[in-house]
Every structure is written in C-alpha cells, then in structure tokens.
Amino acid sequence: MNENLDFLDFLAASPSAPHAAREVERRLDFQALDATAAWELSPGGYVLRQGGAIIAFWIPEEVDSTSGFRIIGAHTDSPGFVLKPQPERRGAGWPQAGVEVYGGPILRSWFDRELCLAGEVVLADGSSTLVRTEPVLRIPNLAIHLDRAPEVNRQTHVQPILTVEETSVMEVVAQAAEVAPEDIFGHWLMLADAQPGRLSGDLLAAGRLDNLTSVYAGLRALQGAVASGEESQDIWVLAAFDHEEVGSASTRGAAGPLLGSVLERIADSCGLSTAPMFARSTMVSADAAHAVHPNYPEKHDSEHHPLLNHGPVTKINANQRYASNPATVAMWRRCCAAAGVPTQVFAGNNAVPCGSTIGPISATRLGIDTVDVGVPLLSMHSAREVCGAQDMVWFREALEAYLINS
C-alpha cells in the first residue's frame, strides 16, 4: 500500500470533523462503546465516538500496578466556515448560504473554489446522519477592475453563492441526506473544498492537513502497534478531539471532560487507581507545525527553521503555549531514534505571536506529561495546505515507536 495515497483516501472520506471521526472508527474496527452504559472491558480494542471526537484504545493482555497510558492526542476540526442556523440569503438576485467564520482560516484562500457542505444533521426523531452535498457553492472574488486594493469583510464578503437555481440551501442539504427539509431539526455543516488532495513529487497538497495529518498518523500508528504483537503493559490511546480551532472549550474538546472520563473508566475497569496511572502516563500532542516560508524567513527564529521532508517537528515554548518539557522532549527523541526518524525543533520568533495546541490544555487538566510534535506545513490554515510526503511516513513510524518502545 502506498501510504500517502491511502492518506489522500482518508482525506477524501473526511470532509468534516464528524466524517473524520467516523472514518477512524471504520478503519480501526474496534468494539464500539456506549457512553451511557456500564463498561466491562477485557483485553482488546475499543472506540467511543461522539460527533467529531473519537477516543480509541487498546488494552493489553497484562495490566498491573505498573501500567499507565500512552496517549496520542490530535484534533479532527479545521478552520473554515460553518453554516448558520438560518442560512437562506439572497444578494442582488443570487441565492446564498449564510456562514459563520470558524477559527482562523486564511479567508482569501477560500475564494473561487468549488465548495460543498459537509457535516452532521439531526432529524426530527432525534437521530443524526452525516451529510456531504454536491459542490454547488462558491465564494466569488470581486474583479480587480472594481477594487484595486480589496480587503475581506468577514460578514459581507464571505457568503457563498449557490450555483443551482430554483432551490435553497436546506433543500440541497436535505437532498444529500435523503430526507425532507422540514425533517432537519439541527445541523453542523461546514464548507469543504471539493478539490481532491494531490501527491506531487515529494509534496502533498490538500485541505484539512491541519490536523488530519496527525489524526491519520496516529490511527496508522495504533494499527501498526496492535499488529506488531509487541504489547507493553501500558494502555495505548488515540484521542482525536473536536473544536481545537476555536479553543477546545466544549464537551468534545480537549478542555472538556471526555478524555479524563474515558481514562478513569478504563482504570476502574482494570481495578487500578486513576491518579497513580496518570502519574505513570505520557501524551504526545500531535498537531501541525510551521515550516519556514522561503518568502518570509524573518517570521521564524533564525536558528529554528523547520523544513518539509526533514522529519517531524518538536514544538517548544517557554511561555507554555506548547506542553513540551525536557523529559518529554528526550522521550520523543528516543522514540524517533528507535524508529530511525530524523527530528527538527521549532521555537518561535520573540516578535511573532505563537500558536498553541491541545497539549497544554490536556496536560493541565490531567497532569500527564506531554510533548508537542507535528509534521511541518506550508500555508497553514489555507483552504489548501502543503506537507512533505516523507514526513507523513516518518511521523507514523515515530508515533508507532512511541506506543511500542517508550
């Protein structure tokens, strides 16, 4: 199997966070858990999916008082645009879809693209279904002749037009869901670029690389660790959260109770105390990193220039925007050495604001030592980002080594 082509298939199946979570569940084929029921866990694989969040874990044959958790954390959501509750609009005769900016997308990168709506709808009977429409939306640019210095207004300039006449937004959604419009009682739908990802030489270009690069690498690492038969006494966990791009403060985000609750229930089922288990645990917060831009090298620190296809990046910040500490950085370096994977380091330019991840949030909530790592990207938060094809392979290998060897 060509790993990067398989990643493109994963991206194609994951136009929204709920789609990505479902695709992880489908590929793992672990036993599905019900959060409202009692859990009686035995050795093997389990998965809990809630909307755009999913937690999968593998319990080894031998669990004892020395066991902890080895956690790969990531997030399924990407910046973009969410359909508003009352989305029907008209502008100068055009039918439009009313959208809200989600997170921090590079707005102009979304213009003049074939767009669809993807996500989840809740029906009158309380059931839900995943939906992806045809690419019938578009945010058109204004001709340069009419505005020589265009600026994007986040309210008035980003509302997409429908490219089909005599219909409405919700009729398009209902048709994709194969229900009547009046049967849709709620929805979470995002614009998604319909252009498929592409592997071009050593580079891979696609939407949603932040942060489906990490979700996919974590998924493949867990599959590889299970298939290897080299079980440790630790429990392996893949936690892919939603809503990271807007601060993680939700029931399905890293700031919510989801991961802590699942880990506590696992510990209880294994007859172990939670606090000592957490103290024996570690977490790899896997999220995309900033590659140095050849046209803007001054935005990086002069001694920290991550490059594409030079290995995964360890992210360090003295102000705790990343959760890496000397012990976890050393742990990650050992994992990469065991896998034969090169590594890079990112530390920010003091004059340039620094991003953050789920790492500090989960580490603060749970008290689990964490390292922040990821594959380097160009055009992060664009509708179409770029990563290194070899970096994706190396990242999966390093994460697998973390589960097996750390």
Side-chain angles (χ1 to χ4, degrees), residues 14 33 38 48 53 59 149 172 174 176 199 207 248 266 274 282 291 315 339 345 364 379:
S14 307
L33 295 171
L48 176 67
I59 300 177
V172 170
L199 182 63
S248 296
I266 296 172
T274 303
T282 56
K315 299 183 282 186
V345 178
T364 300
S379 307

Side-chain angles (χ1 to χ4, degrees), residues 87-88 133 162 165-182 184:
E88 311 297 348
T133 73
L162 269 71
E165 293 288 343
E166 306 301 326
T167 191
S168 68
V169 179
M170 293 312 298
E171 286 173 339
V172 170
V173 173
Q175 183 178 11
E178 298 183 339
V179 299
E182 58 269 22
I184 298 176

Side-chain angles (χ1 to χ4, degrees), residues 1-25:
M1 177 182 64
N2 184 306
E3 197 161 333
N4 281 285
L5 294 180
D6 185 61
F7 177 45
L8 292 180
D9 289 341
F10 178 83
L11 289 172
S14 307
S16 73
H19 281 89
R22 184 183 66 175
E23 182 65 5
V24 170
E25 181 180 31

Side-chain angles (χ1 to χ4, degrees), residues 167-213:
T167 191
S168 68
V169 179
M170 293 312 298
E171 286 173 339
V172 170
V173 173
Q175 183 178 11
E178 298 183 339
V179 299
E182 58 269 22
D183 288 335
I184 298 176
F185 273 35
H187 56 77
W188 177 267
L189 298 164
M190 295 197 68
L191 293 182
D193 184 7
Q195 183 180 6
R198 180 177 176 82
L199 182 63
S200 179
D202 295 330
L203 301 180
L204 192 153
R208 304 179 299 283
L209 296 183
D210 177 13
N211 184 36
L212 294 187
T213 51

Side-chain angles (χ1 to χ4, degrees), residues 86-401:
Q86 298 182 31
E88 311 297 348
R89 299 169 60 98
R90 293 197 74 84
W94 282 96
Q96 292 182 280
V99 296
E100 181 176 358
V101 178
Y102 179 85
I106 300 175
L107 298 176
R108 187 64 75 181
S109 70
W110 285 82
F111 283 49
D112 298 331
R113 292 181 176 273
E114 287 67 49
L115 305 172
C116 64
L117 284 167
E120 187 174 30
V121 297
V122 179
L123 305 179
D125 62 2
S127 65
S128 64
T129 186
L130 298 188
V131 172
R132 172 166 32 190
T133 73
E134 293 297 315
V136 295
L137 299 110
R138 184 182 189 88
I139 306 174
N141 261 306
L142 181 65
I144 192 67
H145 315 83
L146 304 179
D147 191 349
R148 298 290 180 177
E151 295 184 3
V152 179
N153 183 294
R154 292 167 63 91
Q155 171 63 17
T156 59
H157 295 163
V158 300
Q159 310 301 331
I161 61 171
L162 269 71
T163 59
V164 288
E165 293 288 343
E166 306 301 326
T167 191
S168 68
V169 179
M170 293 312 298
E171 286 173 339
V172 170
V173 173
Q175 183 178 11
E178 298 183 339
V179 299
E182 58 269 22
D183 288 335
I184 298 176
F185 273 35
H187 56 77
W188 177 267
L189 298 164
M190 295 197 68
L191 293 182
D193 184 7
Q195 183 180 6
R198 180 177 176 82
L199 182 63
S200 179
D202 295 330
L203 301 180
L204 192 153
R208 304 179 299 283
L209 296 183
D210 177 13
N211 184 36
L212 294 187
T213 51
S214 298
V215 175
Y216 177 79
L219 162 67
R220 289 293 309 279
L222 180 56
Q223 289 176 314
V226 170
S228 73
E230 298 185 29
E231 291 188 348
S232 71
Q233 290 180 307
D234 287 339
I235 296 167
W236 300 332
V237 181
L238 172 63
F241 301 99
D242 202 351
H243 302 140
E244 189 274 346
E245 297 293 352
V246 291
S248 296
S250 74
T251 57
R252 298 166 183 174
L258 181 60
L259 178 58
S261 174
V262 169
L263 298 183
E264 289 170 3
R265 295 179 75 169
I266 296 172
D268 288 344
S269 180
C270 294
L272 299 173
S273 299
T274 303
M277 279 199 79
F278 283 9
R280 293 189 293 268
S281 301
T282 56
M283 179 172 179
V284 174
S285 168
D287 202 347
H290 292 287
V292 64
H293 196 301
N295 298 336
Y296 304 91
E298 70 280 0
K299 295 296 184 180
H300 276 63
D301 181 79
S302 59
E303 304 306 314
H304 299 86
H305 277 191
L307 298 169
L308 269 58
N309 288 316
H310 281 63
V313 177
T314 308
K315 299 183 282 186
I316 302 172
N317 182 262
N319 295 295
Q320 302 304 300
R321 300 292 287 171
Y322 303 125
S324 306
N325 62 50
T328 58
V329 169
M331 175 197 72
W332 179 247
R333 289 184 63 181
R334 290 194 299 272
C335 295
C336 291
V341 170
T343 63
Q344 305 182 81
V345 178
F346 173 83
N349 182 324
N350 291 335
V352 177
C354 179
S356 190
T357 68
I358 64 164
I361 297 171
S362 290
T364 300
R365 280 190 54 82
L366 303 176
I368 293 177
D369 279 342
T370 300
V371 63
D372 267 295
V373 300
V375 297
L377 301 185
L378 284 175
S379 307
M380 189 185 294
H381 284 206
S382 171
R384 197 164 180 86
E385 301 161 316
V386 180
C387 72
Q390 183 59 51
D391 285 333
M392 285 298 299
V393 176
W394 279 331
F395 196 33
R396 186 266 305 163
E397 291 174 341
L399 290 172
E400 187 173 329

